[in-house]
Amino acid sequence: MRQIKIGLIGFGTIGSAVYNGLKKNGSILSSNLGAKVVLKSLCDKDRSVFKRHKINKKLIKNNAYEIINDPSIDIIIELIGGIKPAKDFIIQSLKNKKYVITANKALLSDDKKEIFKVARDNGVAVFFEASVLAGVPVIKVLCESLIANSIKSIKGIINGTSNYILSSMHEKGISFKAALKEAQDKGYAERNYSLDVDGHDSAHKLAILSSLAFSCDIKPKDIYVEGISNISNHDVMFAKELGYCIKLLAVARSYKDSVEVRVQPVLLPKKHMLSNVNEAYNAVYFKADLAQDIFLYGQGAGGSSTCSGVLSDVAEAVDCILAKSPLNAHQADVFSGPKKKIRQVSEVESSYYVRFMAVDAPGVLAKISGILAKHKVSISSVMQKARNRVKAVPIIMLTHQVKDVDLNKAIKEIGRQKIIMSRSVVIKMEKEG
Amino acid sequence: MRQIKIGLIGFGTIGSAVYNGLKKNGSILSSNLGAKVVLKSLCDKDRSVFKRHKINKKLIKNNAYEIINDPSIDIIIELIGGIKPAKDFIIQSLKNKKYVITANKALLSDDKKEIFKVARDNGVAVFFEASVLAGVPVIKVLCESLIANSIKSIKGIINGTSNYILSSMHEKGISFKAALKEAQDKGYAERNYSLDVDGHDSAHKLAILSSLAFSCDIKPKDIYVEGISNISNHDVMFAKELGYCIKLLAVARSYKDSVEVRVQPVLLPKKHMLSNVNEAYNAVYFKADLAQDIFLYGQGAGGSSTCSGVLSDVAEAVDCILAKSPLNAHQADVFSGPKKKIRQVSEVESSYYVRFMAVDAPGVLAKISGILAKHKVSISSVMQKARNRVKAVPIIMLTHQVKDVDLNKAIKEIGRQKIIMSRSVVIKMEKEG
């Protein structure tokens, strides 16, 4: 049985999980592949981690280039994350004609076009299943199962931390702060949680998914991003009462000559599959012209799931090595498609959830409705809540499809009225499809 | 750009959908693959279908062997279904060193071991994504994404007709017969619906999935099968009241030295992802040691979705042809693993939903509970319903984990009591994991 040798760069949570997974299930992988997968070398700038995991000293190298420049190694797994020095490691590995596996979403979301060109120029390939949703195979499904489809839209809950927070707020009625504290206590949120709750982690992943789906190079900076830290538990509970969940959704939709790419909190009907994605689970919903609906769900993060994704990439790389050909070579070209126009969020018509805090006096509803009507904003339902011991009462309205610019004008004019006690809340309602 | 030539055998609903899909999206497929995919020939024993679809006469062949024996054809797509003559067509195509794509679950569920051996002996491969859940990529995910995992269990709603019926009963409280009529009117149930509602269609698919998951050759006859035609709308509504759905579930679970494979109606908690699979949608839930939970959902049937699955297989075959190597050659061996002991349903402990129809008299509950206790069946909850104008009242009980044999003895003894007015109903409650 042929031996395929692997070098592993980075031995943090993910790196050590891949090491352990390979130790546990390496024989399953090898027997399924018809080739023996052997971990030959590993390295990490923090050498104390090796003692903790009782790693055989023979495997440990002093620096990454000892691995990258070892001619006997066939596959490099990069798991250090970040741009520097990960990008240099990957580029040099490809130039050394090694297949590369990475889970580095930050790097790929920006530099994918350049990296895939180097891979193609050197007759090898980069695999990156674990860069989006870890072991949940969104990349494989999109690139291989949907290969003959025109992708209409992608909708995903692709950040576990913010989903845990919003789920807790929905289930227990607690505030964002309390839910964040809970997520931190349970290990679902890091101390530095901002990349998660402000939507930028989702944007990194959406940049990769949407670029693959629409064969172009969409970068995080092209994506409209809005986080969840301003979502109030009152709105979560009002939405719930109306039959909706508030979820941080990553959305990419294709139009004739443009694409829409955004990450923002939205209202989803309770019956939608994505509304049933709770706690730290992740999911992606594809709409495609032939396959129609394809929904994928799973952990989407953590060492074990990421290990599964990385090892599925090892299998792909081994297939290529055995076939002496970088299969799915088309991947190299996918990001080189013609640049797509990015449609601004304000150009897209939508329905909205709107909450006004108004004085509890006669004529208030008439006043608000009048201003909305003037700006062509029509209302599909209204809920007025009586509150004890406060002067302001919440008035919740769901609008029909409306132009962003019209709604904004209306909200501004209403905000100037004396009857309005505090800033109005506007949350997009996600439409079907 | 290299041309890859395809021959299509069978031009019914699926065959014509593949033809149309290739016509519509062939250029997407070709550009993603870096090879031009060309439909060279097709045939069907019913020649009238070609007129209906205005097929170019040059494409039409008089019989399948004109296609199978054409040396210029690289890939054969078999879409006639059934055992004869599909099996002969596939075997001869493989012997002619052609890659074969099939959606034929009935054939594969029984004869997979033989067919894959012929493929391997001839240095080619058989692809069969669309044989289970059409374009929902359960085969690819199981064989490729989970390649380094040990699969613990598979749970699936893998028959759209029965799921449509049970969903309607759940939503509207209507009877099995009324829901079946509705499914027929909407085109979700064929006139000959028995293969669907009696669970045998699910068993065919489960035979394929469980064989792949556990690397052995499980046949439909190894699978315990129970259909849904005896499910009463009363039980569906009582289950709903208790927070459950009744679903026709296909389950495969692996033990140390045996496997459990069964298709039967079960109670699922409303919060389970599979409980949210409604109408004619299909879904599969994998539990694996590294990836943990992977849930896939989609149409799982119909021409368009099947076409997507078939064309993803075309892509795999083209990759093999370009690489001059049957990749995933390991597939050939997967069904040749050591035979697994099949665990009998009666050996597996479970909780149950039980409904007794008893006279409305004092002491009835004591009598029933007493007999259950005598047989070591302990009860987790009881619901007694008062009924108008009938003497019999339903008594619903949910049991704790109990041995099948103990429960059966208790049910028999209770059935012999004079207080019992009609046959008791027993439905398994599906446990987590």
Side-chain angles (χ1 to χ4, degrees), chain B residues 111-125:
Chain B
D111 294 337
K112 50 195 170 307
K113 198 168 163 179
E114 180 188 350
I115 290 169
F116 278 78
K117 191 181 175 314
V118 177
R120 192 172 67 151
D121 290 348
N122 287 280
V124 285

Side-chain angles (χ1 to χ4, degrees), chain A residues 129-305:
Chain A
E129 181 64 81
S131 68
V132 182
L133 264 54
V136 181
V138 286
I139 303 287
K140 185 179 277 286
V141 167
L142 181 54
C143 293
E144 300 180 28
S145 302
L146 298 175
I147 188 168
N149 284 259
S150 164
I151 308 294
K152 294 190 222 168
S153 68
I154 302 173
K155 289 184 187 173
I157 292 171
I158 56 182
N159 179 272
T161 307
S162 22
N163 199 48
Y164 185 89
I165 292 169
L166 289 173
S167 294
S168 276
M169 292 171 73
H170 184 91
E171 278 304 313
K172 303 172 195 163
I174 57 179
S175 72
F176 172 81
K177 270 194 182 166
L180 171 62
K181 171 85 175 48
E182 197 185 283
Q184 283 173 319
D185 291 346
K186 292 207 172 181
Y188 289 128
E190 295 176 54
R191 228 178 266 175
N192 181 5
Y193 54 82
S194 67
L195 212 62
D196 292 315
V197 303
D198 68 10
H200 288 293
D201 173 76
S202 295
H204 283 147
K205 296 169 186 166
L206 185 64
I208 298 174
L209 289 179
S210 58
S211 297
L212 291 168
F214 308 136
S215 300
C216 58
D217 185 15
I218 293 166
K219 302 201 171 188
K221 68 173 168 48
D222 298 322
I223 297 173
Y224 171 83
V225 179
E226 203 184 304
I228 61 164
S229 50
N230 289 325
I231 296 292
S232 128
N233 49 336
H234 301 303
D235 294 312
V236 172
M237 298 323 279
F238 293 146
K240 187 175 179 176
E241 211 175 319
L242 291 161
Y244 294 85
C245 282
I246 297 182
K247 293 287 188 189
L248 180 64
L249 213 65
V251 177
R253 187 182 277 114
S254 137
Y255 296 88
K256 211 172 176 182
D257 52 5
S258 63
V259 294
E260 178 190 347
V261 274
R262 57 185 162 85
V263 173
Q264 64 184 152
V266 298
L267 265 73
L268 272 179
K270 194 72 199 84
K271 286 219 154 189
H272 197 290
M273 286 304 285
L274 284 163
S275 292
N276 296 302
V277 178
N278 291 316
E279 301 175 30
Y281 282 86
N282 285 226
V284 171
Y285 205 118
F286 296 108
K287 292 253 183 192
D289 64 343
L290 298 179
Q292 299 158 273
D293 302 70
I294 299 282
F295 174 77
L296 279 131
Y297 163 97
Q299 269 77 3
S304 186
S305 173

Side-chain angles (χ1 to χ4, degrees), chain B residues 53-98:
Chain B
H53 288 270
K54 293 178 188 156
I55 304 297
N56 183 338
K57 278 186 185 160
K58 280 185 201 161
L59 295 179
I60 303 166
K61 301 297 162 196
N62 287 316
N63 76 73
Y65 286 102
E66 275 185 61
I67 301 177
I68 295 167
N69 294 325
D70 176 348
S72 77
I73 285 180
D74 306 284
I75 299 171
I76 299 287
I77 304 177
E78 178 277 307
L79 296 172
I80 58 173
I83 311 298
K84 274 204 161 194
K87 186 176 171 182
D88 295 333
F89 291 169
I90 288 176
I91 298 278
Q92 191 54 49
S93 301
L94 294 170
K95 286 186 175 165
N96 290 353
K97 319 275 188 217
K98 296 184 194 311

Side-chain angles (χ1 to χ4, degrees), chain B residues 240-306:
Chain B
K240 187 175 179 174
E241 213 176 317
L242 291 161
Y244 293 85
C245 282
I246 297 181
K247 293 288 187 189
L248 181 64
L249 212 64
V251 178
R253 188 181 277 114
S254 138
Y255 297 88
K256 211 172 176 182
D257 52 5
S258 64
V259 295
E260 176 189 348
V261 274
R262 57 186 162 83
V263 173
Q264 65 185 151
V266 298
L267 265 73
L268 272 178
K270 194 71 198 87
K271 287 220 155 189
H272 197 290
M273 286 303 284
L274 284 162
S275 291
N276 295 303
V277 178
N278 291 316
E279 300 174 31
Y281 282 87
N282 285 227
V284 172
Y285 205 119
F286 296 107
K287 292 252 183 192
D289 64 343
L290 298 179
Q292 298 157 274
D293 302 70
I294 299 282
F295 174 77
L296 278 132
Y297 163 97
Q299 270 78 2
S304 186
S305 173
T306 308

Side-chain angles (χ1 to χ4, degrees), chain B residues 310-323:
Chain B
V310 166
L311 295 183
S312 77
D313 280 347
V314 167
E316 292 244 27
V318 170
D319 274 347
C320 293
I321 291 165
L322 296 181

Side-chain angles (χ1 to χ4, degrees), chain B residues 105-152:
Chain B
K105 56 183 172 283
L107 174 59
L108 286 181
S109 62
D110 258 324
D111 294 337
K112 50 195 170 307
K113 198 168 163 179
E114 180 188 350
I115 290 169
F116 278 78
K117 191 181 175 314
V118 177
R120 192 172 67 151
D121 290 348
N122 287 280
V124 285
V126 180
F127 297 104
F128 53 103
E129 182 64 81
S131 67
V132 181
L133 264 55
V136 182
V138 285
I139 303 287
K140 186 180 275 289
V141 168
L142 182 53
C143 293
E144 299 179 28
S145 301
L146 298 175
I147 189 168
N149 284 258
S150 164
I151 309 295
K152 294 191 222 167

